[in-house]
């Protein structure tokens, strides 16, 4: 029997309820596989924890997580704690502390999803954003100067290192090769960001020369966002900095009909540290506690987690069950035009998973 140690951080708002419901899927996987057991450790690190303890997680938080095979996270952020405190206090220390420098975010219009766009064919939206996840605009450095005076000034730094930029761009090309994707776009804004993005573009040019079999180009982020809406089929793999990748994927998920749909994997490719899996959506305090949160982003994140844990058969089965539920169009949460609860969607996925 293989034991897989999972650290679970439900976090805040709808993160708590999507995590709570989706844990039933782990039981279904154990049942279907027969040779694995998930050892689950739930951690209450969240805005509530911050209000009680003055920090989003304990000072030895990373060592508590370090012995896990994977981390599953719901969402962070809640009124009463400034958003930058919750993200800087929980998400970023894990992503950066465990050198999860790849944030993989597939954007795919599955059958049964209703895009708000007029799409030319059912497979018109199918691309993967590979977001740099360890530095860039999210490095957390900067200063507030002359506070409280007319000269008050905020300085927000972006740190782009040759090592950091090279490894994400190289990963994106290798990903394209591995997955038979023939084209790759690098998101830039070097016409305005005259240090960071000029540097990014230079490294992109160096690396793309080694991948002549992949059609690659650089596009300014504003033009790229527009083209994503008008001709989504033009994209297969997009590599982007930390901030650009975050924005593009909320837009991408909205192109599928809801921010609640898309998953993400924060990966340390060398497997020196655990990787973390989380839906891209936030904690949505406005709908929290009503049982109407969309669990699809969390379920899809579990698929990515199973793939990372080398359980690709289980991942394919779970993705198949999710696809069937979506294609059936009967069981869906209100953000997707349905009336089902979070729990009812998960029940249906579990039913089809156990009895495909
Ligand atoms: N599910 C993760 C979450 O809570 N996301 C909210 C958010 O704003 N994240 C910013 C980021 O992913 O960088």
């Amino acid at each position: 029997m293989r034991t897989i140690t999972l650290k679970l951080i439900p976090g805040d708002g709808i993160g708590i309820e999507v995590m709570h419901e989706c844990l039933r899927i782990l039981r279904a996987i154990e049942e279907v596989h027969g040779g694995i057991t998930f050892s689950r450790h739930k951690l209450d690190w969240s805005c509530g924890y911050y209000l009680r303890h003055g920090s989003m997680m304990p000072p030895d938080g990373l060592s508590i997580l370090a012995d896990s095979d994977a981390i599953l996270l719901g969402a962070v952020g809640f009124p009463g704690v400034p958003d930058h405190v919750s993200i800087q206090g929980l998400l970023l220390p894990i992503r950066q502390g465990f050198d999860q420098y790849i944030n993989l975010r597939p954007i795919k219009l599955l059958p049964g999803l209703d895009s708000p766009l007029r799409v030319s064919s059912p497979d018109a939206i199918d691309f993967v954003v590979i977001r740099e996840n360890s530095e860039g605009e999210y490095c957390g450095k900067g200063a507030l100067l002359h506070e409280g005076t007319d000269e008050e000034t905020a300085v927000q730094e972006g740190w782009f290192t040759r090592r950091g930029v090279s490894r994400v761009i190289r990963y994106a090309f290798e990903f394209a090769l591995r997955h038979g994707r023939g084209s790759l776009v690098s998101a830039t804004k070097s016409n305005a960001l005259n240090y960071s993005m000029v540097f990014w573009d230079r490294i992109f040019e160096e690396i793309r020369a080694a991948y002549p079999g992949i059609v690659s180009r650089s596009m300014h982020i504003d033009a790229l966002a527009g083209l994503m809406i008008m001709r989504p089929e033009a994209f297969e793999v997009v590599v982007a900095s930390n901030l650009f990748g975050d924005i593009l994927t909320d837009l991408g998920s909205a192109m599928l009909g809801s921010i609640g749909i898309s998953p993400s994997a924060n990966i340390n490719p060398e497997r020196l540290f655990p990787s973390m899996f989380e839906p891209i959506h936030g904690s949505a305090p406005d709908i929290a506690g009503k049982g109407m949160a969309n669990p699809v982003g969390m379920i899809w994140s579990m698929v990515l987690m199973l793939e990372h844990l080398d359980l690709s058969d289980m991942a394919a089965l779970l993705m198949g069950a999710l696809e069937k539920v979506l294609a059936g169009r009967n069981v869906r949460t209100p953000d997707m035009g349905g009336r089902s609860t979070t729990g009812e969607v998960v029940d249906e996925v579990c039913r089809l998973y156990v009895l495909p």
Side-chain angles (χ1 to χ4, degrees):
M1 182 71 74
R2 176 181 169 199
T3 301
I4 297 168
T5 302
L6 294 185
K7 296 282 160 78
L8 308 169
I9 310 176
D12 301 297
I14 64 166
I16 298 170
E17 49 208 89
V18 294
M19 172 82 76
H20 173 75
E21 299 293 349
C22 287
L23 291 183
R24 285 206 297 288
I25 295 172
L26 296 179
R27 281 203 293 278
I29 297 168
E30 287 169 336
E31 192 183 318
V32 168
H33 187 283
I36 54 171
T37 170
F38 291 103
S39 166
R40 311 157 174 84
H41 304 263
K42 209 183 271 187
L43 301 159
D44 65 346
W45 306 346
S46 58
C47 289
Y49 185 97
Y50 178 87
L51 293 174
R52 291 192 300 279
H53 301 278
S55 62
M56 291 292 293
M57 63 178 186
D60 59 346
L62 290 190
S63 33
I64 293 170
L65 298 172
D67 68 348
S68 53
D69 293 300
I71 304 161
L72 203 54
L73 184 133
V76 283
F78 216 70
V81 178
D83 282 341
H84 68 275
V85 170
S86 52
I87 288 190
Q88 296 275 349
L90 185 58
L91 278 187
L92 300 193
I94 299 174
R95 290 177 185 168
Q96 295 171 1
F98 286 153
D99 205 18
Q100 296 166 345
Y101 62 89
I102 298 299
N103 191 325
L104 195 73
R105 297 185 160 198
I107 302 289
K108 185 168 163 55
L109 187 67
L110 301 172
L113 293 180
D114 295 318
S115 174
L117 305 178
R118 209 174 47 229
V119 285
S120 54
S121 76
D123 54 2
I125 308 178
D126 182 6
F127 58 89
V128 176
V129 176
I130 293 173
R131 164 189 179 190
E132 202 295 317
N133 210 33
S134 64
E135 55 171 38
E137 308 90 339
Y138 277 44
C139 71
K141 298 183 201 302
L144 196 57
L145 308 172
H146 314 300
E147 214 174 332
T149 72
D150 287 348
E151 304 302 318
E152 193 166 7
T153 304
V155 181
Q156 188 76 47
E157 296 180 23
W159 278 63
F160 292 79
T161 63
R162 173 167 280 279
R163 177 169 172 267
V165 175
S166 307
R167 64 186 182 175
V168 70
I169 293 176
R170 200 167 289 116
Y171 184 96
F173 275 106
E174 290 296 328
F175 179 93
L177 279 182
R178 246 190 350 267
H179 292 86
R181 306 228 167 184
S183 68
L184 184 149
V185 175
S186 165
T188 186
K189 191 63 189 168
S190 48
N191 53 354
L193 303 177
N194 52 336
Y195 290 104
S196 59
M197 283 295 135
V198 170
F199 179 63
W200 174 285
D201 288 358
R202 180 153 53 84
I203 295 176
F204 179 69
E205 286 303 316
E206 288 168 17
I207 293 176
R208 72 188 281 265
Y211 296 90
I214 295 173
V215 179
S216 60
R217 64 179 165 151
S218 212
M219 278 191 80
H220 290 305
I221 184 78
D222 42 352
L224 196 167
L227 193 63
M228 240 170 78
I229 297 290
M230 293 194 301
R231 284 194 46 231
E233 66 278 9
F235 299 98
E236 292 185 271
V237 176
V238 177
V239 63
S241 69
N242 216 328
L243 179 64
F244 289 176
D246 189 34
I247 297 169
L248 282 181
T249 46
D250 264 29
L251 176 64
S253 196
M255 288 160 57
L256 310 179
S258 169
I259 304 285
I261 291 167
S262 296
S264 79
N266 303 274
I267 302 170
N268 173 250
E270 291 75 24
R271 294 176 185 259
L272 299 172
F273 305 101
S275 293
M276 177 165 72
F277 302 83
E278 53 173 319
I280 73 159
H281 65 69
S283 57
D286 54 329
I287 58 159
K290 297 182 179 164
M292 61 197 280
N294 191 338
V296 172
M298 176 58 95
I299 299 169
W300 202 335
S301 299
M302 292 170 89
V303 171
L304 299 182
M305 181 182 81
L306 293 170
E307 283 167 357
H308 183 78
L309 293 169
D310 296 321
L311 293 166
S312 36
D313 291 358
M314 295 296 105
L317 270 182
L318 181 55
M319 196 64 203
L322 177 60
E323 285 175 356
K324 263 192 211 152
V325 172
L326 294 173
R329 306 185 72 94
N330 292 323
V331 186
R332 50 180 65 211
T333 45
D335 58 311
M336 296 173 63
R339 303 174 68 164
S340 309
T341 64
T342 313
E344 285 165 349
V345 177
V346 174
D347 283 344
E348 191 61 2
V349 170
C350 286
R351 194 179 69 77
L352 291 171
Y353 185 80
V354 176
L355 297 170

